[in-house]
Amino acid sequence: MNIYDVSKKAGVSIATVSRVLNGNRNVSDKTKERVLSVMEELGYTPNVFARGLGLNTMHTIGILCSDSSDAFLANAVYYLEQTLRKNGYESFLCCTGYELENKKNYLRLLLSKRVDAVILVGSHYLEANKADNDYIISAANEVPVMMINGYLNHPNIYCTLCDDYQAVYDTVTRLAAHGRKHFAFLYRSDSSSSRIKIKGFRDGMEAAGLTISEDAVRLCPNDIPSTQTILTDLYKEGISYDAILTSEDCLAVAAVKFAGTAGLRIPEDLEIVGYNNSLLCICTAPELSTLDNHVETLSITTVNTLMRVLQGADVPNKTMISNDFIVRGTAY
Amino acid sequence: MNIYDVSKKAGVSIATVSRVLNGNRNVSDKTKERVLSVMEELGYTPNVFARGLGLNTMHTIGILCSDSSDAFLANAVYYLEQTLRKNGYESFLCCTGYELENKKNYLRLLLSKRVDAVILVGSHYLEANKADNDYIISAANEVPVMMINGYLNHPNIYCTLCDDYQAVYDTVTRLAAHGRKHFAFLYRSDSSSSRIKIKGFRDGMEAAGLTISEDAVRLCPNDIPSTQTILTDLYKEGISYDAILTSEDCLAVAAVKFAGTAGLRIPEDLEIVGYNNSLLCICTAPELSTLDNHVETLSITTVNTLMRVLQGADVPNKTMISNDFIVRGTAY
């Protein structure tokens, strides 16, 4: 039983059903009545039903994030909760880890607690295998689903993303213009966001007429010392890079520490660029140049969009925010 | 209506009522029956009642933390959720912020969602004004309440703490033995944990026969550059410290950066000690010596204690874990 069945049976568009569900006033009484009676006939749950009528709302939003110890995700959650509270909503957070089965269980648990909407934080909610995202689509048939840094094209799913592709592409262009030739890209996990960044890296290199050497796009372990060791080993084998781009600031920290032990001058011999503009950036010497993906703006935009959805406004399915290159000591 | 009323009316101890509530088998059938009938008579809620009998449990634990963007709290939440999941429990996290009213609202919200227990993470849940903790005590009459780094002596409240007092005291002793004389202590918020650390600092200084100069115990702003500016201003006024202790690693990062601009050698001219053993410690040059308060052990111990409570075991009200001094580059 889902929104499609209701739309088909009532002879109206999915957008119209969605408007009725979200209490939008721009629906004629006649249409609204027809949709509501079809929902009743099909046994669409009274829970969702009541929510659509604006009754019985708990003013509670469910948030899913994969890992609260990740600084980007933790900050996103912080800003989401602050902004929701300002709008009179409380929130529940579930940290699901990275296993698909746990993500599904937690989403089901949140829906059983009658939240008004769910927010999925981080690109780890977008599985490489498309069918694995069906549980998200099925949730969107019950409540609005907001995604941060993930994109699914489906009614009642609203996505806010930062433009990771363009950010990495532009950074390659920028450093190539300084005469850098030997680029590496370090990333930490096989998320959809990593895949997009790698695509930006490859396309940027091609556009700059540069070749990517073997081993130059590297999945790195979760801790700084191990990443440092990997770089040191590569260097011993005679592989020398003059530009290191990363998917996370902590990988750039490892690169700075590696340069220190290898006697490389930053940024003269080696330019290094972090990602996220986290607290780590100002801890290193020199401080990290980085790409700021505006976690605060992403989070506030997501909540603002959600508030409009809950008020029944027609809202675009996708909002894309550009990143900024922050110049500090490791790249110019 | 609370556990006291039941205990009084049934003529048994609070511990016995608690055992019945938590389904402990070490209660005679006769006593159990009497307690249950008193609960029924007094209208003790069927929700709690069912939970005590092991019925109707959702296997869900509520977690409250004040601020998910704080690295220590975020890590605690991460380990709590991992360990709960291993034990077959899901968890909800509410980030309450620091306002008492919001803490109360969120605790009420969690209880309304029928969680099996709540975990309060961080010393911010212990208010300086004792009466302000009544909402926690009242929650403990419904479900077990676990506290990390906060201590309340009350039935059905179980506390796991790190020994912040001793850790700071011992660090003063250690650095005084190196001949350090001019100590500063930087802290970031007026939490119960900060108050305990400051007490350890003052007592340690007295025991070492050292005087604490004016301005030496300082509340610092939330960001590294402002803290750095404060230290620089103090130094310009002719106040020179040879040992800086902190309540958080990020304050120690500010001290390292200050020393760099002031031309002070670390650790020769100035020893610096962080707190928490966070990721920041290995980002600075030199790397931070710090006090490790074992966030992983604190979290795992809390969950293990909770599992025993839910199984009806008699569990001590307080568990204290010692901290470790981690030697890196800023203090020896």
Side-chain angles (χ1 to χ4, degrees), chain B residues 114-131:
Chain B
R114 309 181 75 163
V115 293
D116 296 308
V118 294
I119 304 177
L120 309 183
V121 187
S123 70
H124 283 279
Y125 287 98
L126 208 63
E127 307 290 336
N129 177 1
K130 279 188 184 179

Side-chain angles (χ1 to χ4, degrees), chain A residues 58 60 66-69 74-75 77-78 81-82 85 89-98 102 105-106 109-110 112-115 224-225 228 250 253 257 279-280 282-285 287, chain B residues 58 60 66-69 74-75 77-78 81-82 85 89-98 102 105-106 109-110 112-115 224-225 228 250 253 257 279-280 282-285 287:
Chain A
M58 298 291 290
T60 304
S66 47
D67 178 355
S68 65
S69 69
N75 280 319
V77 166
Y78 172 79
E81 289 181 318
Q82 293 277 317
R85 199 176 302 148
Y89 281 80
E90 315 212 63
S91 54
F92 277 138
L93 172 67
C94 294
C95 298
T96 63
Y98 298 98
N102 288 329
N105 286 340
Y106 268 113
L109 179 68
L110 275 179
S112 80
K113 298 293 180 185
R114 310 181 75 163
V115 292
I224 292 175
Q228 201 181 333
C250 69
V253 171
K257 294 171 76 85
L279 187 57
L280 302 187
I282 61 167
C283 293
T284 56
E287 296 182 352
Chain B
M58 299 291 291
T60 304
S66 46
D67 178 355
S68 65
S69 69
N75 280 319
V77 166
Y78 173 78
E81 288 179 321
Q82 293 277 318
R85 199 177 301 148
Y89 281 80
E90 315 212 61
S91 54
F92 276 138
L93 172 66
C94 295
C95 298
T96 63
Y98 299 97
N102 289 328
N105 286 340
Y106 268 113
L109 180 67
L110 275 179
S112 80
K113 298 293 180 188
R114 309 181 75 163
V115 293
I224 292 174
Q228 201 181 333
C250 68
V253 171
K257 294 171 76 85
L279 187 56
L280 303 186
I282 61 167
C283 294
T284 56
E287 296 183 351

